[in-house]
Amino acid sequence: MPYDTVNRENIHEMVHEFYGIVLKDDMLAPFFIRSLGENLDGGKWHEHLQTLDSFWLLMMTGISGYSGDPFPPHAFLGQLSKEDFQRWLELFKEVVNRLYTPEIAEKFYKKSEILAAQFIDNLGLNDEDEDDD
Ligand code: HEM
């Protein structure tokens, strides 16, 4: 049964599942492995997953806990491309659609899309094709 509410526990499950998939993805894994290593149960990952739990809890419910700024680390990951973000969004969409009801999955996805668009903009990856809306 898909979750029809959002809470700390199911966000934790979603985040863990998403990064497990990302770590097996040929396109995205190298960025994460360079920063955080290969072991999802390792120290750096543990911290990252906790940050992401708090981040999504704030985004989806307004419950405070995350007080960082999501963009800055992405400026130091090496050459990210628009396609990398598209891949990230595709994998994220699959996971939230599997775990949550369509309404909730859509809300997660909309938020991630807005952020990805901001990151793409901040990284100057829009310069070559201005046609996207
Ligand atoms: C190609 C796409 C992406 C890649 C490769 C990527 C990779 C990473 C990596 C490696 C970190 C950890 C950096 C560190 O702690 O040293 C990170 C942090 C983070 N990412 Fe991403 N990311 C991507 C897209 C996104 C998107 C679209 C979102 C939001 C929806 C997002 C949200 C975050 C947040 C909230 C953090 C934690 C920031 C903090 O430390 O406060 N990322 N990302």
Side-chain angles (χ1 to χ4, degrees):
M1 276 288 281
Y3 296 119
D4 59 3
T5 55
V6 178
N7 59 38
R8 204 178 288 273
E9 286 71 36
N10 58 46
I11 283 187
H12 182 74
E13 182 183 341
M14 182 279 282
V15 164
H16 210 269
E17 194 164 325
F18 175 63
Y19 287 100
I21 291 170
V22 160
L23 259 188
K24 293 198 188 87
D25 186 73
D26 288 347
M27 207 166 158
L28 297 181
F31 293 105
F32 288 90
I33 291 171
R34 274 199 298 272
S35 287
L36 305 165
E38 305 191 37
N39 177 9
L40 212 55
D41 301 316
K44 279 191 173 180
W45 267 105
H46 184 71
E47 203 180 305
H48 180 62
L49 295 176
Q50 280 189 339
T51 303
L52 269 290
D53 286 357
S54 312
F55 170 75
W56 280 113
L57 196 65
L58 174 68
M59 295 293 284
M60 293 296 288
T61 69
I63 295 174
S64 58
Y66 179 77
S67 56
D69 181 356
F71 174 68
H74 301 88
F76 306 103
L77 296 182
Q79 192 52 59
L80 281 168
S81 68
K82 225 170 165 176
E83 288 70 31
D84 294 322
F85 282 97
Q86 274 150 9
R87 181 73 181 142
W88 190 107
L89 287 170
E90 189 183 333
L91 296 178
F92 188 72
K93 192 177 202 170
E94 274 171 30
V95 171
V96 291
N97 272 322
R98 194 159 59 237
L99 288 181
Y100 292 97
T101 56
E103 295 74 25
I104 296 179
E106 180 71 11
K107 190 173 166 192
F108 268 106
Y109 188 68
K110 279 264 151 63
K111 292 198 179 277
S112 67
E113 247 186 341
I114 292 169
L115 272 141
Q118 282 174 9
F119 291 4
I120 287 171
D121 218 33
N122 291 348
L123 292 169
L125 302 175
N126 266 327
D127 295 349
E128 275 157 39
D129 55 332
E130 302 276 321
D131 291 342
D132 285 10
D133 45 34

